[in-house]
Every structure is written in structure tokens, then in C-alpha cells.
Amino acid sequence: MTVSTTDKPNLEARMEPGRVLRSPRANGVAALSPDARRNGDHRAPNDTPRGVRPVIKGKFFFVGSEKLWIRGVTYGAFLADDQGREYTDLAQVDRDFAQMAAAGVNAVRIPHTTPPRELLDIAQRHGLWVMVGLSAEQYAGFLVDQSKAPDIRKIIRDKVRVVAGHPALLCYGLGNEIQAQLARWIGRRRIERYLSMLCEVVRTEDPAALITYVNYPSTEYLSLPFLDFLSFNVYLESRERLSSYLARLQNLAGDRPLVMGELGLDSMRNGEELQAESLSWQVSTSFAEGCAGTFVFSWTDEWYRGKERVEDWAFGLTDADRKPKPALAAASRAFSEIPFPPTQQWPRVSVVVCTHNGAATLQACLEGVASLDYPDYEIIVVDDGSRDSSAAIASTFDIRLISTANMGLSSARNTGLQEATGEIIAYIDDDATPDRHWLKYLASSFETGLYGAVGGPNIAPGDEGLVANAVENSPGGPIHVLISDRIAEHIPGCNMAFRKDALASIGGFDTRFRTAGDDVDACWRILDAGFVIGFNAAAVVTHHRRKTLRAYWRQQWGYGRAEAALAAKWPEKYNTLGHITWGGRIYGKSLNIFRERIYHGVWGSAPYQQIHQQEAPVFSYVPLMPEWALLVIVLGLLAVLGLKWSPLLFALPLFAASVAGMFFRGAKSASFARKHQPRRKGAGIGSSLLTPPLFVLQPFARLGGRFRDGLTPWRTPAANGRVLPRPKNFSLWTSSGLSQHDRLLAIETALIENGSHVSCGSDFDRWDIQVATGFFGRARLLMAVEDHGGGHQFVRARTWPRMVGGLTIAGILIVPGFVAGLAAGNYTDPVGLGFWTAAVLIALRTIYDCAAAMASLNAAITPQFEAIAGDAIT
């Protein structure tokens, strides 16, 4: 990805005095018909309701019940008077704002100087929202030398008081592009704390206001979860690169809206026609990629840095005399066609809602589905044997209601598949509500990519109280797994869509999964069939979290049972501990457990300075595992036995430490959530106190569900008998000419088909394939193929057992046995015998697992060498 050196107004160049060049005047007239402005559900600027402040719901802005698309331009900086005031010519401001409103603009960004309140009065008269800049970047340098620093809190506080509470106020922008070199010098954490401090100052003065900070790619790595939405200045001259980068920013934004703080093109270097053409696709691409708003840089070519006129570029939609350039008409047309052009053709979609006793939330779900902004879709409700009023509620809507006996979620979804008439089938849970443009974003991904399935994020409502908010920030929620910013490995069932022919080609959903796990299974089968799963961050649904501890426990117990069923069907997807080995990154608020490194480039020169995430240390995620709960149980039992035999009290501090590890992960998640969700109902101290216990509760519930259906660490996966666990060598001359890769691939395939858990050696391992048929034992394979010309080869293979921890654990258990014997004066003490017996059993199980793994590996290798023998050289 590259950055244009001519498009972006250079901040350092702006600050350099004496840079004054002349720019040519532009011609052109902007026009926007009333009909064009009233496209979709967004209103013409003057129709925006006033007296109600904008709020954020999910990834979009709303004023009342109306979605607010921000169609903005930046305004200033202008020549300041001796008191530093820029916006003194209010008559000119009035003319500019009237021209903006006529062109379909509904928002103005004042990036560098806090405007007078009179400017917001003018904006209100013309139906414009104002994003007020607080210029935090101007004071960031004082973090280096605080002895000379002014009272920055007071400066920001005084600026906020000028405009606080004004009905035309859209939001505050804390700052604009703290320079990358300065941020690198000061350090990421200090910059983040600085902006967090200023955010608290603003919220103290204007509690209801929305707050952002306008970042740019050179400091993309800044983590600012306390902001209400994410803003970025992005200048890219390629539609594909802009689209790709916006997908990345959407994943950085997470559950929050993404707004383009600046985009544009310099007409001086590129010409006015190319500027207009670029702005057209820049604006349309930003909204098509799910941005909640866009500010075009800038309204006019009149632009100042301090007292110096900047005339070496011309980004304005109008020239310095406010004469429209072609770019204004282009931006107006693009603004009138958001989020998608009205002429775009859309495929027919079948929306399937499966419900079982879902009356409590079904009404809201169907109201949302019935209000979708989509030209051609049907609604199918499958009532899976409900005993409540679900069917009666569904019958009040214009839908197709299909009632069946209670056969489980997968069966209900298959019924929807059979009845659907659309080429795309979108599934949504009965406790979820879609964003009004949900289908358009899903369908747009299908139209732009070769996807068999597409999903999007699910966001909690955020207003359901203490328990639901704590559950949202606890493990076990519906999450997506992404391989890249657009490609998914898994999409959750509450928000997933399939091409009907693709889903039908894999046989629909597997009915063994009655309540959960069907979405994971379907995703894996879609991928195995050669399809790709897409992800669109703007295809949002609001999904309710469990509101009681009992409901959360039952949900996690059910998920544990689903994992057991998945492990039985997909053993190769699970490691020996019973965990899925995802290839992508798991996205979830409670799973922020990655190490991070910042790519600055040589001498801090990288234009895109990104965070590169590495695998986290084991201690950061192990407390989330059900096996950790099993360890807690074992240590707890040993500590209780210690009341009868004091040497076992060694387990008491270990028990306390293991429980504390679970609480620590919960406290960390709660702390992150409080910063990330400052406005959410139930996001206060009560939720923070409840979240850590849920981190303890969840692994025990999952453990119970897994054990209930046989997913245990001591389970015995499929194996081809048992052989003596000792090294074995294979060798043979052949003229088959197969490469080593092909031979290993055939062996791996045979092992997978046999249900073995297979892993491949890394770049640093001196083995090629490892097989695990139990927790304690493994078997490994190393192959070498010698080429001797003319297709002749000498193939060598070696297998050997690998004992993983079993004998070590047995040895550890022997020590307490000796201690017990010494304490009792004999070696028949029951406690000592118990430890000795456990040690012997574990040692035997280790040998047993190695024998099974060796048998499976040898069984897969032998046919390969028999095939080779057919071509053997004699």
C-alpha cells in the first residue's frame, strides 16, 4: 500500500513560513436536485430534526430514530486576526453555509480552531451539524517538557464551554494528527493517556457530547478505546487501496462508527476533472465500506497556516472566491447516493428467522427485519415447536410462518433453506435486530467478492443492565474469526448469509447440532467445499446477551456440549486438550490477549505505522480454558485432603493462585470495558465487580458441557490398534518420482481421514508430521527423499514415540507418595498409595497413548510404502 506524496497536505510544509504559491482559479457549478438529496432514508440537510443531540447506536449515528449519514466538508483554517480569531466574517460564513446546504452537505468540520458560538448559530439555521476541533495536537509537545506547559486542561475546558450544549454541535474532535515523529518520541502510552485525560475534561463540561480524535495512518497504532467513534484522515489515489484500508480501519473501530475526517485530491497537480472524478469514488467507497460519515477536504482553496497563505495546493470544492469547481458537483452527487446508488441492482434475499420459545425478543426482531431498506426480500419465520406465543407474534407480520415440531436449530434452518426463493439466504437469531441497511451491506459483499457466505458483527444493545453488560465482556459470546480484514474463517449464526446454491451443495446444516455448533460446522464445510467466507464490518445486527446468571450458565453448558459434538465430527480441528485450532484471529472484547509491536519503519519513516500482534504468553489465555477449571477442581480437592494430611496443604496456595488468575483476566476485561463503554448503562462499578466472577463461572460451565458429551483430556481418539512404542525405520528404492511434499501430503490425508489429530512441523522443527491420539503421548515422522537421476529415488522415513508430560507428571506424583510414607513411617499409607497409584496409571496411559499414536502413524505410512514398492527398483 502506498501513500501519495502530492495528495496529502503536508503538515510540516504548512508550518513553514514563506511558502506562498499561486493556484489557478476554477470553474464549474454545483447542482443537486431535491429528489437526489432525498435518496434512501437520509434527509435533506434542512430536514434534520433539531433539539435532539446525535447519539451512536452500533456503528452509526442517529438523531432520534433517524440514521444520520454525515456528509461533510472541512472549513478552515483561515487568516486569524490579532486575537487569534479566524471566523470573524460571519457574513461570509453565512454565505458559505448556505452554499454547502444547497449542495447536499449536512456537516462542517472546524479542524484547527474552536469556532465562536455564533458560527454554530448560523450552522443551525442552515441545517448543518458542526464538528468542533479542540487542537490537542498543538499542546502535545509539552509532554516532553512539562515545566513550560500551560494549563492544558483549562485551555480545553474553556474551549468546550464556548459551544457546550449547542443544538448544532455534532461532536468534539480532541485533535488532528499528532505528528508521527513526535508521537514516536513521546511514546504511544503517554499520547494515549494525554488524549484520555482531555476526553475526561470534555465529558465533565459537556457530558452528552460525542468525542473523537482525528488520527491518520502514520499513527494508526494509537489505541483510543475511550473515544465514541474512530476518525481518520486518509488520502489514497486508488479505489482498491482505499477500499482495503477502510476494511482494516473498520476492524480497528470494532463496535464503534468509523468516520473519514479528511479525504480529497489536489486539483493543482492533478487537474480539476481528475479531482472531481476521484472525489466521486472516494466518497462513494467510504460509505459503501460502512463509514458513518465523510468529510471532504476542503470547502475552499482559501487556506492559511498562521499568517501565511498556503497556495501550493488546491484541495477545495470551491476556489478562494467560492466559485464552485467540478469537484463540488461530484461530491454532491456522491452524497446524494449513499450508502449505495439508487440504480444499483440487488439480488433477491430470503431472511430466515428461526425461533423456539423466543417470544420475549421476537417482536423487536421482526420489526427490525420488516423495516429493512432493501428492494427485494422475503421473511421466513420457522417456529421450531415453541410453547409460548412466538407463532402468534410472528403471524401479525407480513411473513411466511412455518411451524414444525421441535427438531432443533439446524433442522429449522434447513427448513428455511428449503422454502427460500432468494439466491441469498440471510439468517438472523430471534434475539437479534438488524441495522436498516444490513442486507445491502451483506449483498454488496456477495456482489463484489466470490463468496459462498458472508457475515458481519453482532453488537450488544448496551442498555440492558448490569448482568447483560457483564456477560458481554465475559468469554463465550458469539464471535467472528478473521483470516484478513475481509476474509473470515467463522461467522456466528446470529448474523450469517449464504448463497443458496453453496449452502445446498454442502447439504445444509447438520441436524446433530440442535442448539449450537451448527454455524461452526457449516463454515468449515463451506471452506472445505472450496468457497470463501467474507466479512463486512458494516453488516451489523444488535444481539441481546444473557440477562441472568442462570441463562448464561445454560448457554455456556450448551456451547460445551456443541464443542464435544464438533470434536467428534472434526477431530483434526481440535488439539489434544480439546480446543479448536483456528487459523485466523478471534475477535472478542474478553480476548484482548495479544502481544503488540508497532511497525515504525526505518527511522520512523513508515507512512502506515501499524500494530503487529504476536501470540500472547500462555498465562494470559490459559485461565480462560475449561481445563484450567479442571485444574482448580483438582487443587481444591487436594487442599481439602490437606486438612486430614498436612503435606497436601501445598495445594492451597496453588488453588488460590489458579482462581486468582481467572479473576485477574476478568478484572482486566472489566477495566478495558469501562474505558471502552463509558456511556453504557450497566458499564459502571457493578458490572466491573460482576465480570470477574463470570470469568470463573464460564470455564466450569463449558467443562461440564464438554464432559457431559465426552470431550475430556483423557478421551481416546480414533487409532489403528496399538504397537510397541519404539522407533521404526522405513526405506525403499523407487522410480515413481513423487516429491517429498506429495508423499507427506498423502500420509497427512490418510491420518485425517482416520480421525487422528495431525500437526505439521514448523520451520524450526526436525520432524514433518506429528500424530496425537491422547493427551500424554504422540508419534512423529521424519522423511527424506534422495534423488538419483532418471526419476530414481531412495525414500527414507522414521517414526518414533514422543512422551509429552505424562512421565513428568507421574514423577511429580511419586514425590508426595514418598513424603506420605515417611510421614506415616511406612509405605502402605493410604495417601501415599493413592499418589503411587496415580503415578503408575499416568505412566501407563502415556505408554498407551504413544502406542496408539505409533499405530496410527505406521498404518498411514505402510500403504504409501506398499505403493512405492510397486515401482521399486529391483
Short mmCIF file of all heavy atoms in Angstrom, two decimals, residues 139-146 149 152 178 182 185-187 190-195 197:
data_model
loop_
_atom_site.label_atom_id
_atom_site.label_comp_id
_atom_site.label_asym_id
_atom_site.label_seq_id
_atom_site.Cartn_x
_atom_site.Cartn_y
_atom_site.Cartn_z
N TYR A 139 -0.66 21.09 21.69
CA TYR A 139 -0.10 21.09 23.04
C TYR A 139 0.63 19.79 23.36
O TYR A 139 1.16 19.64 24.46
CB TYR A 139 -1.21 21.32 24.07
CG TYR A 139 -2.14 22.45 23.69
CD1 TYR A 139 -3.44 22.20 23.26
CD2 TYR A 139 -1.71 23.77 23.74
CE1 TYR A 139 -4.29 23.23 22.89
CE2 TYR A 139 -2.56 24.81 23.37
CZ TYR A 139 -3.85 24.53 22.95
OH TYR A 139 -4.68 25.55 22.58
N ALA A 140 0.66 18.84 22.42
CA ALA A 140 1.26 17.54 22.71
C ALA A 140 2.76 17.67 22.99
O ALA A 140 3.31 16.89 23.77
CB ALA A 140 1.03 16.58 21.54
N GLY A 141 3.43 18.64 22.36
CA GLY A 141 4.86 18.81 22.58
C GLY A 141 5.21 19.11 24.02
O GLY A 141 6.33 18.85 24.47
N PHE A 142 4.27 19.66 24.79
CA PHE A 142 4.55 19.97 26.19
C PHE A 142 4.67 18.71 27.04
O PHE A 142 5.12 18.79 28.19
CB PHE A 142 3.45 20.87 26.77
CG PHE A 142 3.48 22.28 26.22
CD1 PHE A 142 2.47 22.73 25.40
CD2 PHE A 142 4.53 23.13 26.52
CE1 PHE A 142 2.50 24.02 24.89
CE2 PHE A 142 4.57 24.42 26.01
CZ PHE A 142 3.55 24.87 25.19
N LEU A 143 4.29 17.57 26.50
CA LEU A 143 4.52 16.33 27.22
C LEU A 143 6.00 16.02 27.34
O LEU A 143 6.42 15.26 28.22
CB LEU A 143 3.80 15.17 26.52
CG LEU A 143 2.27 15.24 26.48
CD1 LEU A 143 1.71 14.10 25.63
CD2 LEU A 143 1.69 15.20 27.87
N VAL A 144 6.80 16.61 26.47
CA VAL A 144 8.25 16.42 26.53
C VAL A 144 8.86 17.29 27.61
O VAL A 144 9.71 16.86 28.39
CB VAL A 144 8.89 16.73 25.15
CG1 VAL A 144 10.40 16.56 25.21
CG2 VAL A 144 8.29 15.83 24.08
N ASP A 145 8.43 18.55 27.66
CA ASP A 145 8.95 19.49 28.65
C ASP A 145 7.78 20.11 29.39
O ASP A 145 7.27 21.18 29.04
CB ASP A 145 9.79 20.57 27.97
CG ASP A 145 10.47 21.50 28.98
OD1 ASP A 145 10.33 21.25 30.19
OD2 ASP A 145 11.11 22.47 28.55
N GLN A 146 7.34 19.45 30.45
CA GLN A 146 6.15 19.90 31.15
C GLN A 146 6.40 21.10 32.04
O GLN A 146 5.45 21.74 32.51
CB GLN A 146 5.59 18.74 31.97
CG GLN A 146 5.15 17.55 31.13
CD GLN A 146 4.45 16.47 31.94
OE1 GLN A 146 4.00 16.71 33.05
NE2 GLN A 146 4.37 15.28 31.36
N ALA A 149 4.82 23.94 30.35
CA ALA A 149 3.49 23.68 29.81
C ALA A 149 2.45 24.60 30.43
O ALA A 149 2.48 24.88 31.63
CB ALA A 149 3.11 22.22 30.06
N ILE A 152 -3.18 22.88 30.25
CA ILE A 152 -3.87 22.37 29.06
C ILE A 152 -5.32 22.02 29.40
O ILE A 152 -6.22 22.23 28.59
CB ILE A 152 -3.12 21.15 28.50
CG1 ILE A 152 -1.69 21.55 28.12
CG2 ILE A 152 -3.85 20.58 27.29
CD1 ILE A 152 -0.83 20.40 27.67
N ILE A 178 -1.55 14.23 15.57
CA ILE A 178 -0.29 14.45 16.28
C ILE A 178 0.81 13.83 15.43
O ILE A 178 0.74 12.66 15.06
CB ILE A 178 -0.33 13.81 17.67
CG1 ILE A 178 -1.38 14.52 18.54
CG2 ILE A 178 1.04 13.86 18.33
CD1 ILE A 178 -1.57 13.89 19.90
N LEU A 182 6.76 13.02 16.53
CA LEU A 182 6.56 13.48 17.90
C LEU A 182 5.93 12.38 18.74
O LEU A 182 6.33 12.14 19.89
CB LEU A 182 5.68 14.73 17.91
CG LEU A 182 5.36 15.31 19.29
CD1 LEU A 182 6.62 15.74 20.00
CD2 LEU A 182 4.40 16.50 19.16
N TRP A 185 8.51 9.89 19.61
CA TRP A 185 9.43 10.41 20.62
C TRP A 185 8.78 10.36 22.01
O TRP A 185 9.40 9.90 22.97
CB TRP A 185 9.81 11.85 20.28
CG TRP A 185 10.67 12.50 21.32
CD1 TRP A 185 10.28 13.23 22.38
CD2 TRP A 185 12.10 12.43 21.39
NE1 TRP A 185 11.35 13.63 23.13
CE2 TRP A 185 12.50 13.16 22.53
CE3 TRP A 185 13.08 11.84 20.60
CZ2 TRP A 185 13.81 13.30 22.90
CZ3 TRP A 185 14.41 11.98 20.97
CH2 TRP A 185 14.77 12.72 22.10
N ILE A 186 7.56 10.82 22.09
CA ILE A 186 6.88 10.86 23.38
C ILE A 186 6.53 9.46 23.86
O ILE A 186 6.63 9.15 25.05
CB ILE A 186 5.60 11.72 23.27
CG1 ILE A 186 5.98 13.18 22.98
CG2 ILE A 186 4.75 11.64 24.54
CD1 ILE A 186 4.80 14.07 22.68
N GLY A 187 6.11 8.62 22.94
CA GLY A 187 5.72 7.26 23.30
C GLY A 187 4.22 7.07 23.21
O GLY A 187 3.43 7.95 23.56
N ARG A 190 1.99 7.43 26.55
CA ARG A 190 1.81 8.79 27.06
C ARG A 190 0.84 9.58 26.19
O ARG A 190 0.04 10.37 26.69
CB ARG A 190 3.16 9.51 27.14
CG ARG A 190 4.07 8.95 28.21
CD ARG A 190 5.38 9.71 28.25
NE ARG A 190 5.22 11.08 28.70
CZ ARG A 190 6.19 12.00 28.63
NH1 ARG A 190 7.37 11.68 28.08
NH2 ARG A 190 5.98 13.21 29.08
N ILE A 191 0.91 9.37 24.88
CA ILE A 191 -0.04 10.04 23.99
C ILE A 191 -1.46 9.56 24.28
O ILE A 191 -2.41 10.36 24.35
CB ILE A 191 0.31 9.77 22.51
CG1 ILE A 191 1.64 10.44 22.14
CG2 ILE A 191 -0.81 10.25 21.59
CD1 ILE A 191 1.58 11.95 22.09
N GLU A 192 -1.61 8.26 24.49
CA GLU A 192 -2.95 7.72 24.78
C GLU A 192 -3.48 8.27 26.10
O GLU A 192 -4.66 8.63 26.21
CB GLU A 192 -2.89 6.19 24.81
CG GLU A 192 -2.61 5.58 23.43
CD GLU A 192 -2.25 4.11 23.49
OE1 GLU A 192 -2.13 3.56 24.61
OE2 GLU A 192 -2.09 3.50 22.42
N ARG A 193 -2.61 8.35 27.12
CA ARG A 193 -3.06 8.90 28.40
C ARG A 193 -3.41 10.37 28.28
O ARG A 193 -4.36 10.86 28.91
CB ARG A 193 -1.99 8.68 29.47
CG ARG A 193 -1.83 7.23 29.90
CD ARG A 193 -1.01 7.13 31.18
NE ARG A 193 0.35 7.59 30.98
CZ ARG A 193 1.37 6.79 30.63
NH1 ARG A 193 1.15 5.50 30.41
NH2 ARG A 193 2.58 7.27 30.48
N TYR A 194 -2.65 11.09 27.49
CA TYR A 194 -2.90 12.51 27.26
C TYR A 194 -4.27 12.73 26.64
O TYR A 194 -5.08 13.55 27.12
CB TYR A 194 -1.79 13.06 26.36
CG TYR A 194 -2.02 14.43 25.78
CD1 TYR A 194 -2.08 15.55 26.59
CD2 TYR A 194 -2.15 14.59 24.40
CE1 TYR A 194 -2.28 16.81 26.04
CE2 TYR A 194 -2.34 15.85 23.85
CZ TYR A 194 -2.40 16.96 24.66
OH TYR A 194 -2.60 18.20 24.11
N LEU A 195 -4.57 11.98 25.59
CA LEU A 195 -5.87 12.14 24.94
C LEU A 195 -7.00 11.65 25.84
O LEU A 195 -8.10 12.22 25.84
CB LEU A 195 -5.87 11.38 23.61
CG LEU A 195 -4.95 11.95 22.53
CD1 LEU A 195 -4.92 11.03 21.31
CD2 LEU A 195 -5.37 13.35 22.13
N MET A 197 -7.04 11.88 29.08
CA MET A 197 -7.24 12.94 30.07
C MET A 197 -8.09 14.07 29.49
O MET A 197 -9.03 14.56 30.13
CB MET A 197 -5.88 13.48 30.52
CG MET A 197 -5.95 14.67 31.46
SD MET A 197 -5.91 16.29 30.59
CE MET A 197 -4.25 16.28 29.92
#
